Amino acid sequence: DGGITQSPKYLFRKEGQNVTLSCEQNLNHDAMYWYRQDPGQGLRLIYYSQIVNDFQKGDIAEGYSVSREKKESFPLTVTSAQKNPTAFYLCASSIDRGVGELFFGEGSRLTVL
Amino acid sequence: GESVGLHLPTLSVQEGDNSIINCAYSNSASDYFIWYKQESGKGPQFIIDIRSNMDKRQGQRVTVLLNKTVKHLSLQIAATQPGDSAVYFCAETYGGATNKLIFGTGTLLAVQP
């Protein structure tokens, strides 16, 4: 089945540690995105990538980093510089950056202890 | 600035009734709108979309209405079922760019048996 796979589903981290969230898609989509979801707030864009080896900051990129070495993969690293990292993280993809449907993964819940 | 909001944070309906979820947007330049459904602990699922050159669009048991005069969007679900229980949120974009999507905070739809 085509889709987006995020892992791990749940992750616990100690303060000061970097963690990397995995996102893989087999939809052959060019564009991929990372969003953060907090209770009572709409999804906020962290980073997006339109093409391999290129990515752009979203609205809340500080404390995060990404890479896009392969079309299928767009991992997100939550660094120790992110002041409030506990959240639900969603990866998405679309055929391209233009108007179109976003396909979401099942999400990764990060908790900082 | 641009914002997307919902009038009712929680909507409780009886099984079999019709549901109406509302959304207000503030940017008159927005030209593409999407409704998503998100079940607890899962990623959002696309329900239906509509472009600004349309007033109404129908899907399977769902209808989206767009009133550009008052910048209002609604999602109607016919014959609501227990499986429809979820958070529903709308999103808007302008300039046709998926990376510019602005998401609302969501309405919780609770279907009573």
Side-chain angles (χ1 to χ4, degrees):
Chain A
D1 289 336
I4 299 178
T5 302
Q6 288 186 240
S7 63
K9 189 168 180 64
Y10 299 96
L11 185 62
F12 297 88
R13 186 194 96 176
K14 292 182 180 179
E15 284 190 22
Q17 289 181 334
N18 292 354
V19 293
T20 297
L21 308 180
S22 170
C23 178
E24 303 279 331
Q25 56 102 354
N26 59 5
L27 300 167
N28 200 32
H29 285 173
D30 284 326
M32 296 187 75
Y33 312 80
W34 274 105
Y35 288 92
R36 173 180 169 137
Q37 187 173 37
D38 294 285
Q41 297 191 39
L43 300 181
R44 292 182 290 168
L45 182 63
I46 304 172
Y47 269 99
Y48 66 98
S49 169
Q50 301 174 61
I51 197 169
V52 175
N53 292 325
D54 183 65
F55 48 83
Q56 306 294 327
K57 292 182 179 180
D59 301 318
I60 55 165
E62 184 176 353
Y64 300 98
S65 65
V66 293
S67 63
R68 186 87 186 275
E69 297 176 1
K70 298 185 300 182
K71 186 175 184 177
E72 310 82 47
S73 180
F74 191 42
L76 173 74
T77 297
V78 184
T79 75
S80 56
Q82 169 49 234
K83 292 184 172 61
N84 186 18
T86 295
F88 190 52
Y89 291 89
L90 286 161
C91 180
S93 71
S94 63
I95 293 174
D96 59 37
R97 191 180 65 86
V99 172
E101 178 184 347
L102 279 177
F103 293 79
F104 285 90
E106 293 287 273
S108 292
R109 184 166 298 281
L110 172 63
T111 302
V112 174
L113 304 174
Chain B
E2 301 110 19
S3 66
V4 176
L6 296 175
H7 296 309
L8 298 173
T10 304
L11 178 63
S12 184
V13 299
Q14 291 293 125
E15 182 178 356
D17 287 351
N18 296 334
S19 302
I20 299 176
I21 301 171
N22 297 302
C23 177
Y25 64 95
S26 59
N27 186 358
S28 57
S30 290
D31 54 13
Y32 182 59
F33 305 86
I34 311 174
W35 279 101
Y36 281 94
K37 171 186 180 183
Q38 186 175 21
E39 297 177 16
S40 181
K42 295 189 176 182
Q45 295 174 282
F46 172 91
I47 301 173
I48 193 167
D49 60 0
I50 189 168
R51 297 181 189 277
S52 58
N53 61 351
M54 302 172 69
D55 297 322
K56 179 179 179 179
R57 190 161 190 227
Q58 288 185 292
Q60 188 176 11
R61 279 200 309 118
V62 295
T63 300
V64 56
L65 299 177
L66 176 62
N67 185 331
K68 294 180 285 293
T69 302
V70 295
K71 290 182 278 188
H72 184 267
L73 193 68
S74 68
L75 177 71
Q76 300 179 0
I77 304 174
T80 312
Q81 303 168 0
D84 294 327
S85 294
V87 173
Y88 291 81
F89 56 87
C90 62
E92 64 171 307
T93 187
Y94 54 95
T98 310
N99 61 298
K100 298 289 188 186
L101 278 167
I102 300 171
F103 293 85
T105 54
T107 290
L108 174 62
L109 177 65
V111 182
Q112 309 300 322

